[in-house]
């Protein structure tokens, strides 16, 4: 057998688990680049071809839970949209299960609010100083929750949008859907039975990052209805990067389950697989992978940069890309259309490098936009990105796209307008030209919005219209959060909107460490800079030995619990294993020599693979 086929038995094992009698639940250990999605889709095709028709006749489906909408779409496309399968994200799946029981939802929803009120009330009563901001905030929040509780008791029907911000009074937030559904499943043996009968086979991709409460609920169904319900988990503990995933899931897998392991890494070059094995050995006993026989050797380099005031990080990173170009003899590392995926720890780091941080910052703080801003689906922003900017771009060419947009959205071309159509068309073309000139001259968002408003070319969203009338002196905390944010960005150039749009729609070379899980690229540059990262969940400085572990870190490690170092090491594993051919790590630090000594002692990099800048 070829070395490249060492995992072929795994697909046979999965087939036996779900198609033999009796069926058997399983956990598939599938590391980076091991072809997990290939094995999942192959298994689904076998299910469809062998028992799909029978399942449909019985009114049953195979449920496939994925981590992202993109993963859902990929699997659906590979399967050819088969009706045998219910493929969705975890939020969508559980909402489809519980939405038929509004009374039960309301009961738990109100219980959780009551619990929050009780906890806040205890804090308020225990407060020694009643003149602090914390005290007044708690009092105000408690009153708000009491009003919310009274209103919630009247809700007849709850609503939920897995891709939206869910701001209606009867809308459940994403975390609430998970919490309530997990509790409902655990509380109700009847609901467990309904799920088991409706979805006799349930497969969970990226199971290590599936909400721990729901993992417990699904395990309960399998325990109680294992004769009709088969649970299949696919995942990799080394790639668990979210804290709400199940910690050490391996320890709770029942002994009678199958636990196949995929050992091959089909994605990465040999040197990158070796680095991944070294990083992963402290995380998971199933860490070590084998390279393909015909895999190239590949390249890894660590560039350690002295952190200092005024450092030009864009210039540093261009220097790194030039160095990688020379090292690998690969021109795509450094040319006008360089094809390199650059990974930052946070979106703001990418926004700074792409030049739209002043625009992104205020809008990212708007509660209403928390889900939709990074999806590019904020309606007020779509006014610019799907109407104004495309019109401006189209006017520079043949104008057809501009005309299509205006036909669909312009009040001037609406059927209710009784003016001469030809005159209206000429007016639209003239006004579109004026707006296009302002966009092409990179005038302010305010000027572009006013030009559209004055021309009546399009209906300007109310919050943008209001913000365009405000001066910087008018901005204060009494303004609504959304209006305040838009007022702050009004004087920025319209090009920042375009840069934002390019970023959220993956038209740039940037992405986040977390956002590329499951993806792969020929060339990857990972930017590590704790000074730019605002969170406390990850600490590369601790992982690389620059900062000492805190007492809390030590206590967590000694107790076998998760620490920021564990989380960071898993995230580092994920980023490194995105690279197929060559990998550059750029670390900004106050102590380059400490970093160098640490990574050599860990056997992550050789001295020849480290450059101090």
């Amino acid at each position: 057998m070829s070395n490249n086929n060492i995992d072929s038995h795994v697909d046979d094992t999965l087939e036996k688990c779900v198609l033999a009698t009796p069926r058997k639940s399983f956990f598939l250990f599938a590391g980076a680049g091991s072809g997990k999605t290939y094995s999942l889709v192959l298994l689904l095709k076998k299910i469809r071809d062998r028992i799909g028709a029978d399942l449909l006749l019985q009114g049953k489906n195979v449920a496939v839970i994925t981590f992202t909408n993109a993963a859902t779409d990929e699997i659906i496309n590979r399967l050819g949209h088969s009706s045998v399968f219910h493929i969705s994200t975890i939020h969508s799946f559980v909402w489809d299960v519980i939405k038929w029981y509004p009374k039960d939802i309301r009961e738990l929803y109100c219980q959780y609010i009551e619990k929050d009120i009780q906890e806040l009330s205890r804090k308020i009563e225990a407060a020694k100083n009643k003149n602090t901001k914390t005290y007044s905030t708690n009092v105000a929040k408690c009153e708000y929750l009491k009003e919310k509780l009274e209103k919630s008791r009247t809700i007849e029907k709850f609503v939920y949008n897995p891709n939206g911000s869910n701001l209606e009074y009867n809308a459940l937030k994403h975390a609430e859907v998970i919490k309530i559904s997990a509790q409902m499943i655990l509380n109700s043996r009847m609901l467990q039975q309904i799920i088991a009968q409706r979805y006799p086979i349930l497969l969970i991709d990226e199971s290590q990052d599936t909400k721990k409460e729901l993992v417990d609920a699904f395990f309960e169904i399998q325990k109680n209805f294992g004769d009709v319900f088969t649970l299949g988990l696919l995942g990799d503990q080394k790639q668990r990067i979210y804290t709400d995933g199940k910690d050490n899931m391996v320890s709770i897998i029942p002994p009678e389950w199958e636990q196949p392991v995929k050992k091959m890494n089909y994605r990465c070059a040999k040197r990158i697989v070796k680095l991944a094995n070294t990083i992963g050995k402290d995380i998971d006993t199933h860490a070590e992978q084998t390279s393909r026989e015909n895999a190239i050797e590949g390249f890894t380099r660590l560039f350690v940069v002295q952190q200092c005031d005024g450092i030009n990080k864009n210039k540093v990173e261009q220097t790194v890309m030039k160095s990688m170009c020379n090292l690998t003899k690969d021109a795509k590392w450094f040319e006008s259309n360089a094809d390199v995926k650059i990974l930052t720890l946070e979106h703001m780091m990418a926004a700074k490098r792409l030049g739209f941080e002043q625009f992104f910052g205020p809008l990212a703080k708007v509660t209403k936009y928390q889900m939709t801003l990074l999806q590019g689906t904020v309606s007020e922003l779509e006014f610019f990105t799907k109407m104004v900017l495309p019109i401006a771009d189209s006017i520079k060419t043949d104008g057809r796209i501009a005309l299509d947009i205006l036909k669909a959205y312009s009040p001037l071309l609406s059927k209710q307008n009784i003016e001469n159509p030809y005159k209206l068309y000429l007016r639209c073309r003239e006004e579109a030209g004026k707006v296009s000139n302002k966009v092409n001259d990179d005038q302010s968002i305010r000027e572009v919005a006013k030009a559209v408003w004055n021309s009546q070319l399009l209906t300007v969203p109310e919050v943008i219209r209001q913000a365009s009338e405000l001066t910087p002196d008018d901005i204060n905390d009494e303004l609504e959060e959304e209006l305040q944010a838009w007022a702050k960005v009004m004087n920025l150039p319209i090009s920042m909107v375009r840069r934002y749009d390019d970023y959220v729609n993956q038209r740039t070379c940037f992405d986040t460490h977390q956002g590329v899980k499951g993806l792969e690229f020929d060339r990857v540059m990972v930017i590590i800079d704790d000074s730019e990262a605002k969170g406390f969940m990850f600490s590369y400085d601790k992982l690389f030995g620059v900062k000492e572990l805190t007492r809390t870190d030590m206590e967590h490690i000694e107790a076998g619990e998760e620490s920021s170092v564990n989380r960071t090491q898993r995230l580092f594993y994920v980023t490194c294993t995105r690279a197929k051919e060559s990998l550059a790590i750029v670390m900004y630090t106050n102590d380059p020599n400490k970093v160098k000594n640490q990574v050599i002692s860990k056997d992550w990099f050789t001295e020849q693979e480290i450059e101090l800048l």
Side-chain angles (χ1 to χ4, degrees), residues 276-344:
N277 286 344
T278 312
I279 296 169
K281 69 183 180 182
D282 297 329
I283 306 171
D284 185 6
T285 55
H286 299 285
E288 189 164 353
Q289 291 183 299
T290 303
S291 307
R292 288 179 292 108
E293 282 182 349
N294 56 342
I296 63 172
E297 185 59 32
F299 296 89
T300 62
R301 282 295 184 275
L302 172 64
F303 297 86
V304 191
V305 187
Q306 176 67 57
Q307 188 81 264
C308 59
D309 293 338
I311 185 172
N312 186 332
K313 293 178 180 177
N314 281 326
K315 187 174 180 180
V316 168
E317 288 147 26
Q318 287 295 309
T319 300
V320 167
M321 292 168 71
K322 178 68 172 175
S323 180
M324 288 298 292
C325 176
N326 295 334
L327 171 71
T328 62
K329 304 296 188 289
D330 180 356
K332 289 189 177 180
W333 263 104
F334 189 79
E335 54 183 21
S336 56
N337 59 337
D339 183 14
V340 179
K341 179 56 67 173
I342 304 173
L343 305 183
T344 60

Side-chain angles (χ1 to χ4, degrees), residues 132-150:
T132 65
K133 187 175 181 180
T134 300
Y135 178 83
S136 58
T137 300
N138 285 342
V139 170
K141 188 175 181 181
C142 196
E143 290 304 312
Y144 164 77
L145 287 175
K146 287 177 181 177
E147 291 177 14
K148 182 179 179 181
L149 178 61
E150 290 306 309

Side-chain angles (χ1 to χ4, degrees), residues 538-553:
F538 303 100
S539 175
Y540 280 101
D541 280 342
K542 290 179 183 177
L543 179 64
F544 282 79
V546 177
K547 282 186 178 177
E548 296 294 328
L549 300 183
T550 64
R551 179 183 294 179
T552 303
D553 292 327

